[in-house]
Amino acid sequence: PARRREFDPNSKLLECFANGYDWGNSVYYNYYTLDGNVIAYGIGLSVQPKIMVAVWDSVTLEPWGTYLNDTTSQFPTVYNEDHQFGNNNNNLYYVWKYFSFLQESATQMQALQNMILDSVENGQHMLIYAPMGARYDLWDSLAPSMYSTLATLGSDSIVTGLPNHAFVMYVKKGYPGSCIENVATTMDGATSLSANIVGDFTGIESSTIIGPASNWGSVHWKQDPDEITTFDSTVLNIKGYNIYGVEQISIDTLFSLNDSILNLNPIIDASLYPYINLTATYRDPVDVTPAQVDRWHVLYTPIPEAAIDGTTQYTWSIVNDTLEEGDDVQFAVDVKNIYTVDMDSLLISYWVEDENNTKQFITYPRQDSLKVGQTLRDTITFNTAGLGGINSFWMEVNPYVNGSLFITDQPEQEHFNNLLQIPFFVNPDDENPILDVTFNGNHILNGDIIDPNSEILITLKDDNDFLIMDYISDTTLFGVYLTDPNGLQKRIPFEDALGNTVMQWIPATSQNKRFKIIWPTEYILDGKYTLFVQGTDRSGNVSGDIEYKVTFEIIHESTITAMMNYPNPFSTSTRFVFTLTGSEVPDEIIIQIMTVTGRVVREITEDQLGFIQIGRNITEYAWDGTDEFGDPLANGVYLYRVKAQINGESIEHRASGADQYFKKDFGKMYLMR
């Protein structure tokens, strides 16, 4: 209540248990505790006989740890570099709270004695014990001076000629009268020890972590001793920590009655060490009354602090957390400078993390500086194409950079209030679009003959209302390949190397949802071509399980096959089937139907036949078995022949499978009502 510092006597209860068994789980019944807390147990990594040594600081009663060069962690660290005594567990996996020495090694037994005599200072506390038994029979040959070394500490029970029993020994070095030792009475027996160990009268007082700072100013302190003639001493230690919170630098100065360090930054550079803390170590070995510190002050330039401010609510344009793929989302929230220091130009990262934990960043430019008390609120829009499934929208103000978990784009006090996450679900677009390909407006079959000057129309229909294919980038969703009669395949571009249009594209609209490609082309070579078309929608859905592939033939010479009627025989009507090649259709076609005696009963002209195209034809016109006057003809066999011309020239006959049904250019049909 009086705000006075007093030394609190530092004492701890030491308990140690040494077991003579050297097999099974019994090796774990070797341990020591401080105030009931297990500090070390077991015998290390082997069952070779060892001597264990534990050492405690005379002031803090903190146990010494073994040397370890840790290169496996994210921040490699060297621990206890000055604790390399030649011990068996030196630099072994982790920091041990005891040092083990093999009794079978003369080198390690000598190292043990060197540690006891040279490295442990007077006033420091030691525990020496031999789990699984002391090998005095080995000492006699490998380390005969071990007995005298222990006797120097105050031992009077460990002498030559003892059986190989376990022992345990405590001593405050330099004070032989403090020695306590016990020896097991049997070979496999156990022994234990309890002792109160008391630290010197000293005290340590630490500040909280100070910072982060952009510049360290001055440090001021004032203290008053309780006595006129005083034996007080106070040492001020200032530790500097890097951005990761790892101590990197430390300076000590004697804590005088009233003094200061006027400019700390040249000593501890805030750009390297943005955090510090102060530690005072008090001693008064005579009067046991520490000096009273009235104050310590650190003046520094703080760094700014921004935060996501949700007090005014945020904008999330979708009413619920489920969207349709391709829908747009709008988001906005306040970012506020909540401290007394201006921020530099502000970087904010936005991204969506999809169900595969892949980050898809949303472009957002660096913003202007954020002054004290100012608020930034921008609307961010992103599209859900490709985001089918469970997603998370993320916002990070002043983000960590270069994969660091400590270094932000600009120094800032805290980062926990710079993150925002909104989970949402997108119903995936998994319906396949419909691909359609026509040649001069017609669907063709494999092997069909087509016009050498044909216009190919490719359409892809996708019913997703939010992913209308209406932009030039959608052309990348198509692959159109043509293999010529020589077997050479090439991909057809939308533009050639000179920028000329090869294939024209027409965007889809919200009404018809059809993306169209028009490719007018001229085929130079005669022979068979193969067209291969691939198409996907914006969600990556392909147009069916099998891409469109068709083989067709180009013949530049104008020819016509024999014209067969179908069906044959017929009862109600029959049509005429034939194939044309070349690039022009006949301008005159006459079909003469006659009796077997040669009398013409009906003539059918081109105008009556209907539309005719290059390639496979089946006439729109169907003859119903009537004569020129519309009267039905009698049942029976009728002959017919075809006359076809282009520009007054007869068309070359093209052989086909129908030729076997014609004799001297006459075909035969059967009327059966």
Side-chain angles (χ1 to χ4, degrees):
R3 297 181 63 84
R4 287 185 53 80
R5 295 162 179 81
E6 296 177 352
F7 287 127
D8 184 14
N10 189 15
S11 66
K12 294 185 179 181
L13 175 63
L14 166 67
E15 294 181 293
C16 180
F17 188 89
N19 190 351
Y21 288 103
D22 62 356
W23 52 271
N25 291 332
S26 62
V27 298
Y28 296 108
Y29 296 107
N30 294 282
Y31 59 85
Y32 77 84
T33 65
L34 291 176
D35 286 343
N37 297 312
V38 176
I39 307 301
Y41 71 95
I43 58 170
L45 299 181
S46 71
V47 295
Q48 296 169 274
K50 305 178 183 72
I51 299 292
M52 309 291 204
V53 180
V55 181
W56 296 275
D57 183 87
S58 61
V59 175
T60 64
L61 299 185
E62 287 295 317
W64 285 9
T66 56
Y67 164 75
L68 178 67
N69 182 9
D70 180 10
T71 60
T72 61
S73 63
Q74 183 179 3
F75 306 108
T77 306
V78 175
Y79 299 93
N80 308 312
E81 191 168 7
D82 57 347
H83 286 180
Q84 301 185 69
F85 305 120
N87 46 296
N88 172 251
N89 58 344
N90 183 65
N91 196 28
L92 190 63
Y93 299 128
Y94 49 84
V95 175
W96 306 70
K97 298 301 182 180
Y98 63 78
F99 304 84
S100 62
F101 298 87
L102 298 177
Q103 298 185 62
E104 298 171 335
S105 168
T107 301
Q108 291 204 18
M109 289 298 287
Q110 184 59 53
L112 166 61
Q113 296 178 70
N114 293 340
M115 175 186 176
I116 292 173
L117 297 175
D118 302 330
S119 300
V120 180
E121 298 178 356
N122 287 340
Q124 292 178 320
H125 306 269
M126 277 196 299
L127 172 68
I128 305 172
Y129 61 105
M132 303 183 301
R135 292 297 304 273
Y136 304 113
D137 56 333
L138 296 177
W139 292 16
D140 293 339
S141 59
L142 299 178
S145 59
M146 187 66 188
Y147 299 104
S148 60
T149 298
L150 296 183
T152 300
L153 297 177
S155 171
D156 58 9
S157 300
I158 311 299
V159 296
T160 185
L162 289 176
N164 292 339
H165 295 177
F167 79 86
V168 59
M169 169 184 171
Y170 159 78
V171 67
K172 182 177 181 179
K173 186 180 177 185
Y175 299 86
S178 66
C179 182
I180 303 172
E181 55 186 337
N182 289 317
V183 180
T185 57
T186 64
M187 182 70 70
D188 294 333
T191 185
S192 61
L193 176 148
S194 295
N196 281 310
I197 57 176
V198 180
D200 291 345
F201 282 95
T202 188
I204 297 176
E205 183 175 16
S206 294
S207 73
T208 59
I209 295 294
I210 303 167
S214 60
N215 183 77
W216 296 116
S218 55
V219 182
H220 306 267
W221 63 84
K222 183 178 183 298
Q223 70 172 356
D224 293 299
D226 283 350
E227 306 85 20
I228 296 176
T229 302
T230 181
F231 294 93
D232 292 340
S233 68
T234 307
V235 175
L236 176 65
N237 177 263
I238 305 177
K239 296 178 180 178
Y241 300 84
N242 62 16
I243 190 67
Y244 307 111
V246 177
E247 179 186 340
Q248 297 283 292
I249 190 173
S250 176
I251 63 170
D252 291 323
T253 183
L254 187 63
F255 210 135
S256 53
L257 295 183
N258 190 353
D259 207 345
S260 61
I261 299 174
L262 294 180
N263 191 356
L264 182 61
N265 208 69
I267 305 171
I268 299 180
D269 187 348
S271 65
L272 301 175
Y273 316 110
Y275 301 95
I276 65 171
N277 85 319
L278 310 182
T279 299
T281 302
Y282 305 83
R283 298 181 71 91
D284 186 353
V286 178
D287 301 306
V288 196
T289 55
Q292 303 301 310
V293 173
D294 299 320
R295 67 173 183 266
W296 54 15
H297 290 165
V298 177
L299 303 182
Y300 66 94
T301 303
I303 59 179
E305 174 65 0
I308 297 173
D309 181 8
T311 58
T312 56
Q313 300 300 315
Y314 63 84
T315 298
W316 184 256
S317 60
I318 305 303
V319 176
N320 51 44
D321 62 356
T322 299
L323 303 88
E324 298 299 323
E325 184 172 355
D327 202 356
D328 285 334
V329 179
Q330 291 183 329
F331 168 82
V333 71
D334 288 347
V335 179
K336 188 173 183 180
N337 187 329
I338 61 173
Y339 199 56
T340 58
V341 180
D342 293 338
M343 290 199 77
D344 291 339
S345 57
L346 188 61
L347 184 65
I348 304 178
S349 289
Y350 295 93
W351 71 90
V352 174
E353 189 169 315
D354 64 21
E355 62 180 1
N356 298 316
N357 298 321
T358 301
K359 291 183 178 180
Q360 301 185 24
F361 286 91
I362 301 168
T363 302
Y364 182 71
R366 182 182 289 272
Q367 301 300 298
D368 198 359
S369 57
L370 191 64
K371 305 297 184 182
V372 174
Q374 278 189 345
T375 297
L376 170 69
R377 186 184 182 100
D378 279 340
T379 299
I380 302 300
T381 301
F382 66 93
N383 188 268
T384 58
L387 295 177
I390 299 174
N391 303 270
S392 290
F393 172 81
W394 285 88
M395 173 187 185
E396 184 179 17
V397 178
N398 189 27
Y400 291 122
V401 295
N402 299 327
S404 172
L405 296 179
F406 298 93
I407 302 176
T408 51
D409 180 65
Q410 62 178 296
E412 189 182 5
Q413 294 184 41
E414 302 290 349
H415 196 72
F416 73 91
N417 52 10
N418 289 16
L419 283 169
L420 177 145
Q421 178 199 24
I422 301 176
F424 63 96
F425 181 80
V426 175
N427 284 325
D429 175 15
D430 53 9
E431 292 188 12
N432 299 102
I434 300 174
L435 180 72
D436 187 59
V437 181
T438 59
F439 292 71
N440 290 333
N442 298 307
H443 297 98
I444 69 171
L445 301 175
N446 268 320
D448 276 358
I449 297 170
I450 69 167
D451 190 334
N453 299 294
S454 291
E455 180 178 89
I456 297 176
L457 174 64
I458 302 168
T459 64
L460 189 76
K461 181 182 179 183
D462 182 26
D463 288 330
N464 190 308
D465 292 325
F466 301 104
L467 295 174
I468 303 298
M469 298 173 64
D470 56 1
Y471 197 63
I472 188 172
S473 61
D474 293 321
T475 59
T476 63
L477 303 176
F478 292 86
V480 180
Y481 301 86
L482 184 68
T483 303
D484 66 18
N486 296 321
L488 179 64
Q489 184 187 71
K490 67 176 182 178
R491 181 168 185 169
I492 309 303
F494 281 84
E495 290 185 354
D496 62 18
L498 300 177
N500 300 313
T501 298
V502 177
M503 296 192 301
Q504 178 189 359
W505 64 277
I506 300 175
T509 66
S510 57
Q511 287 75 35
N512 63 33
K513 299 184 177 65
R514 284 182 171 86
F515 187 93
K516 298 180 180 180
I517 299 172
I518 300 174
W519 178 26
T521 185
E522 179 182 0
Y523 301 96
I524 304 300
L525 300 177
D526 278 3
K528 292 185 177 181
Y529 293 77
T530 299
L531 178 67
F532 178 61
V533 181
Q534 296 173 314
T536 63
D537 61 19
R538 286 187 178 179
S539 299
N541 299 310
V542 298
S543 55
D545 296 331
I546 302 175
E547 290 86 354
Y548 178 86
K549 184 177 182 181
V550 68
T551 299
F552 55 89
E553 187 173 2
I554 296 295
I555 300 174
H556 284 82
E557 182 184 9
S558 292
T559 65
I560 187 170
T561 63
M563 190 177 294
M564 291 190 65
N565 70 302
Y566 178 83
N568 190 17
F570 70 98
S571 60
T572 58
S573 65
T574 187
R575 300 174 187 269
F576 297 92
V577 179
F578 59 98
T579 298
L580 284 172
T581 69
S583 57
E584 295 183 78
V585 297
D587 52 20
E588 181 181 358
I589 297 178
I590 297 176
I591 304 174
Q592 290 182 328
I593 302 173
M594 59 195 73
T595 64
V596 294
T597 62
R599 182 172 63 88
V600 176
V601 295
R602 182 69 182 266
E603 285 190 348
I604 303 170
T605 65
E606 180 182 3
D607 293 338
Q608 294 174 298
L609 292 177
F611 175 73
I612 295 175
Q613 63 181 3
I614 301 298
R616 178 171 46 86
N617 288 269
I618 181 168
T619 60
E620 296 176 1
Y621 174 80
W623 181 51
D624 57 1
T626 59
D627 63 14
E628 293 289 345
F629 304 102
D631 296 326
L633 295 173
N635 289 348
V637 177
Y638 292 86
L639 303 179
Y640 68 95
R641 65 181 175 182
V642 178
K643 178 182 178 183
Q645 292 183 336
I646 297 177
N647 298 324
E649 298 289 336
S650 296
I651 304 174
E652 188 74 23
H653 174 74
R654 176 176 175 79
S656 70
D659 291 346
Q660 61 182 311
Y661 302 107
F662 286 78
K663 188 172 183 180
K664 295 183 179 181
D665 296 332
F666 283 91
K668 187 184 295 183
M669 62 175 65
Y670 300 86
L671 175 60
M672 301 175 62
R673 290 192 176 88

